[in-house]
Amino acid sequence: MRVLVAEDHRILARTVATGLRRQSMAVDLAASGDEAERMCLLTDYDVLILDRDLPVLSGDEVCRRVRELTDPPRILMLTAAGGIEDKVYGLEHLGADDYLAKPFDFAELVARVRALSRRAPKPLALVIGHQGISLDRGRREVRVDGRKVELTPKEFDVLRMLIEARGEAVSHKELVRSVWDEHLDPRTSAVRATVSRLRGKLGTPGAPDAVVADTGEGYRLWR
């Protein structure tokens, strides 16, 4: 899941981002309204956590503009304005999907973000597969020839991307952008290490490696 946190209070923004990353979410940060709008134009986010009181461009205006995108993220307004009238205005007039007043409990924030991410604009097949590998999006379970395989959240998301690519290569950059976030050093070996572990878990004796590295292209599932 990829989340954008638009919050100009740096300590709060970093605290929220760190907490969400510990929940295996990819998180980017924006400190102003214009930056948040620009990032939403460039990246497909699942959820936008949006403070109403942002510099340069207000959170209210960001909400209106983001709502006009072809495939907008779900918007959770996170603000000190927690009165009933404020909530009604944010939900009914600005088009926010959810509204959480400050101060808030972090566990509730996580629950709301996860609930919003499940509201997919288009129905997706819950179970997808490739060459004996079956991945259940809903239960987040993976089986290889009927054998259940335990994967970490990152391994699961990498495998999901590879299956969705239908045998085509998925680049290192695409994996970083979708499974990790801009916080990850592009020179890190995290992607390679995750793919290596995934390859080992999916492997069966005498069979070719399930994940193949294409030099200069990225990774793909064996055809």
Side-chain angles (χ1 to χ4, degrees):
M1 184 195 314
R2 194 171 185 87
V3 179
L4 174 62
V5 177
E7 169 63 62
D8 64 329
H9 191 292
R10 293 186 180 276
I11 295 178
L12 176 59
R14 290 173 181 170
T15 299
V16 170
T18 298
L20 294 179
R21 286 174 182 140
R22 288 174 179 168
Q23 297 295 317
S24 299
M25 300 182 196
V27 185
D28 294 337
L29 295 175
S32 63
D34 61 326
E35 183 182 15
E37 181 190 21
R38 182 171 63 253
M39 292 175 73
C40 285
L41 291 172
L42 296 174
T43 304
D44 292 328
Y45 291 102
D46 298 296
V47 178
L48 166 61
I49 299 177
L50 180 64
D51 181 22
R52 288 186 67 178
D53 189 20
L54 289 173
V56 184
L57 191 65
S58 72
D60 289 6
E61 186 60 28
V62 172
C63 189
R64 292 192 186 96
R65 295 187 184 187
V66 168
R67 272 284 165 241
E68 296 177 356
L69 298 178
T70 302
D71 188 14
R74 298 295 179 177
I75 300 176
L76 169 60
M77 282 198 154
L78 188 64
T79 173
I84 296 298
E85 292 183 358
D86 296 308
K87 293 180 181 179
V88 171
Y89 185 79
L91 295 169
E92 298 250 342
H93 298 282
L94 298 179
D97 296 288
D98 201 355
Y99 200 105
L100 185 60
K102 302 175 184 176
F104 57 89
D105 184 88
F106 187 75
E108 181 180 3
L109 174 65
V110 171
R112 287 174 181 261
V113 169
R114 291 197 184 282
L116 288 176
S117 72
R118 291 194 292 267
R119 299 183 196 174
K122 294 176 286 187
L124 295 172
L126 287 180
V127 180
I128 56 178
H130 180 92
Q131 297 286 7
I133 301 172
S134 175
L135 181 146
D136 189 321
R137 303 175 197 262
R139 296 181 178 180
R140 293 186 70 83
E141 290 183 354
V142 172
R143 293 181 181 274
V144 178
D145 296 328
R147 169 179 58 92
K148 187 175 180 179
V149 178
E150 297 293 339
L151 300 182
T152 67
K154 296 298 186 189
E155 292 165 357
F156 182 93
D157 288 337
V158 168
L159 178 59
R160 175 184 53 77
M161 287 192 66
L162 293 175
I163 292 177
E164 289 173 348
R166 300 179 180 274
E168 298 300 319
V170 180
S171 71
H172 180 280
K173 184 177 180 179
E174 288 176 304
L175 289 173
V176 169
R177 286 177 60 86
S178 297
V179 179
W180 283 267
D181 54 45
E182 64 179 11
H183 184 68
L184 183 73
D185 186 337
R187 296 167 297 180
T188 184
S189 61
V191 176
R192 185 169 65 254
T194 300
V195 170
S196 178
R197 291 194 304 269
L198 178 62
R199 183 184 291 123
K201 292 181 179 182
L202 297 178
T204 55
D209 287 337
V211 183
V212 179
D214 279 350
T215 305
E217 295 293 331
Y219 302 94
R220 62 176 174 81
L221 288 178
W222 174 76
R223 302 189 187 190

